[in-house]
Amino acid sequence: MADGRTVEELAGVLEREHDLDPDGLIRLLTAPEAEPLRRAADRVRAKSVGAEVHLRGLIEFSNYCRGSCYYCGLRAGNHRIRRYRMTPGEIIATARQAVALGLKTIVLQSGEDLFYTEKELCAIVSALKNMDVAVTLSIGERPKSVYAALKRAGADRFLLRIETSNEALYTRLHPGMSYQNRVRSLYTLKELGYEIGTGCLVGLPGQTPAMLAADLLFFKKLDADMIGMGPFLPAPGTPLAGAAGGEVEPVLRMMALARLLMPAINMPATTALSVKDNDGYQKGLSWGANVIMPNMGRREYKRLYAIYPGKRDIPPAEQLVKIKAVLVELGREVGRGYGGRKK
Ligand code: SAM
Ligand code: SF4
């Protein structure tokens, strides 16, 4: 049983074996002390993926969404936000600016917007691939045939968070969506040869430490290449607008545990973490992260892509200056190359 073991011992087991029973994970999520966990995760991060921090240029190209996720400001039922769609030309021009700033991965993210045809999306992916970058998609659930066409067009990676691996909680928070389909989509993407990213929200109403521990084991079983986790931030105009929201420390512990369980993953210090805490990037990078995703979009679109409130309005070039200053402060360096998962 894990119960008799100290935090140091449990962190030590994880550091050596990259595995731990659910009770041990729960203990590390809830123990009063977490510094041994942070230190172990930082050592494993340094040993497995090194000092490099990969910068991925995020383009939020549409805030239209057919989904109704209870926590998200983009949900279809939120009539308070003005909707926008970038044209393929705008998306490609924005990507070109990101490439000019030195970024080697472009992440295309949107609500679940069926407006763009498979052909249009494939053309955008091909245009980006001609810029010699890795392309990551984050556009939600689509049929296998669409995922396959986008892969053929050159897409390299796909982000699809499970949000919570607890089926009952998932079902409560995602009306009209199916937990089984979410899981199936992840396995389909993997089978098609994408590097896959998943992750969860931390601090959802009704979420327990046992559920978070199960999320970590779900990621490990899936053998995800990337894990993104951030605090749930209550968004106006959603059914959870009045909920408490997630805290920073549990997110950091989840990140450390993910790094220890899956040493070679790519893991961002998320924007949500940096919104919740001014030092979110520094903290995330010290608790196992090795990726940051600066926003490349125009000011007006950034404001309208209101999944949660509080996003900062900093132009792309200035964001990069700030991020590089953080890396210098932490003795880290900007990643060279595309920053795919280390084998
Ligand atoms: N529509 C796609 C999807 O759901 O996979 C991609 C875009 S969606 C806005 C990207 C992520 O935003 C989601 O996976 C979710 O975890 C996160 N998100 C949504 N609402 C949030 C909130 N209120 N607080 C923190 N993160 C949130
Ligand atoms: Fe739509 Fe994604 Fe937001 Fe859900 S999380 S409402 S699918 S944008």
Side-chain angles (χ1 to χ4, degrees):
M1 277 300 286
D3 300 84
R5 288 179 285 171
T6 66
V7 167
E8 277 87 354
E9 283 165 347
L10 289 167
V13 172
L14 264 174
E15 188 169 353
R16 281 191 307 279
E17 299 174 14
H18 309 303
D19 211 354
L20 192 63
D21 53 283
D23 284 345
L25 294 173
I26 294 169
R27 182 87 197 289
L28 288 170
L29 284 169
T30 53
E33 229 232 313
E35 186 54 19
L37 174 63
R38 188 197 70 74
R39 282 201 301 267
D42 199 44
R43 281 192 296 271
V44 168
R45 186 272 311 154
K47 193 170 155 199
S48 310
V49 295
E52 284 188 314
V53 174
H54 302 291
L55 305 184
R56 325 286 205 197
L58 177 65
I59 303 177
E60 295 161 337
F61 66 94
S62 162
N63 71 351
Y64 280 85
C65 188
R66 63 175 167 157
S68 294
C69 310
Y70 266 26
Y71 42 79
C72 180
L74 303 191
R75 69 198 304 271
N78 186 4
H79 301 296
R80 293 196 201 177
I81 60 166
R82 189 157 63 78
R83 305 282 170 167
Y84 73 91
R85 286 187 179 108
M86 288 170 70
T87 63
E90 268 182 291
I91 298 170
I92 292 164
T94 306
R96 204 165 280 126
Q97 285 160 13
V99 172
L101 289 169
L103 301 190
K104 300 293 285 173
T105 295
I106 301 295
V107 182
L108 294 180
Q109 193 182 85
S110 67
E112 287 209 1
D113 184 2
L114 300 183
F115 173 82
Y116 301 87
T117 62
E118 176 185 314
K119 210 168 142 204
E120 274 172 327
L121 289 173
C122 287
I124 295 167
V125 169
S126 310
L128 265 50
K129 287 305 288 179
N130 283 335
M131 298 179 204
D132 188 26
V133 287
V135 174
T136 304
L137 299 173
S138 174
I139 58 172
E141 293 171 37
R142 300 292 160 112
K144 183 175 181 178
S145 58
V146 175
Y147 287 155
L150 289 164
K151 186 79 189 64
R152 283 194 303 275
D156 303 280
R157 311 177 188 141
F158 204 105
L159 307 177
L160 188 74
R161 289 183 178 176
I162 189 68
E163 317 291 2
T164 172
S165 67
N166 182 280
E167 187 166 357
L169 182 60
Y170 184 94
T171 306
R172 250 193 334 268
L173 297 175
H174 300 92
M177 289 170 78
S178 141
Y179 177 79
Q180 296 307 333
N181 196 55
R182 195 82 174 169
V183 175
R184 200 175 317 117
S185 298
L186 281 164
Y187 280 95
T188 300
L189 289 161
K190 198 178 167 71
E191 179 195 316
L192 289 169
Y194 283 93
E195 277 198 17
I196 54 166
T198 191
C200 61
L201 288 161
V202 180
L204 289 165
Q207 194 178 39
T208 64
M211 291 179 192
L212 290 171
D215 289 348
L216 291 164
L217 296 172
F218 172 89
F219 305 154
K220 188 168 168 71
K221 182 169 168 217
L222 177 66
D223 188 24
D225 304 290
M226 303 170 283
I227 303 291
M229 293 180 287
F232 153 57
L233 302 170
T238 67
L240 299 182
E247 294 301 326
V248 170
E249 167 106 8
V251 176
L252 296 173
R253 290 187 189 211
M254 284 293 282
M255 291 172 65
L257 290 168
R259 173 62 67 200
L260 287 160
L261 285 166
M262 295 160 281
I265 49 166
N266 281 318
M267 180 166 63
T270 55
T271 309
L273 184 63
S274 77
V275 165
K276 183 76 186 175
D277 185 325
N278 279 331
D279 295 327
Y281 286 155
Q282 284 91 328
K283 289 185 183 170
L285 292 172
S286 308
W287 286 74
N290 70 327
V291 170
I292 292 183
M293 298 167 67
N295 194 314
M296 295 291 121
R298 270 168 43 189
R299 179 172 202 187
E300 160 204 4
Y301 294 145
K302 216 186 289 181
R303 190 173 54 77
L304 293 174
Y305 199 82
I307 39 183
Y308 45 71
K311 283 161 87 179
R312 271 180 284 277
D313 178 19
I314 310 174
E318 220 176 292
Q319 284 177 64
L320 292 184
V321 170
K322 283 182 188 292
I323 290 168
K324 285 173 187 170
V326 168
L327 301 192
V328 169
E329 180 191 321
L330 296 177
R332 307 278 280 276
E333 59 200 52
V334 176
R336 296 168 297 272
Y338 306 106
R341 182 186 181 172
K342 286 234 161 80
K343 297 295 165 217

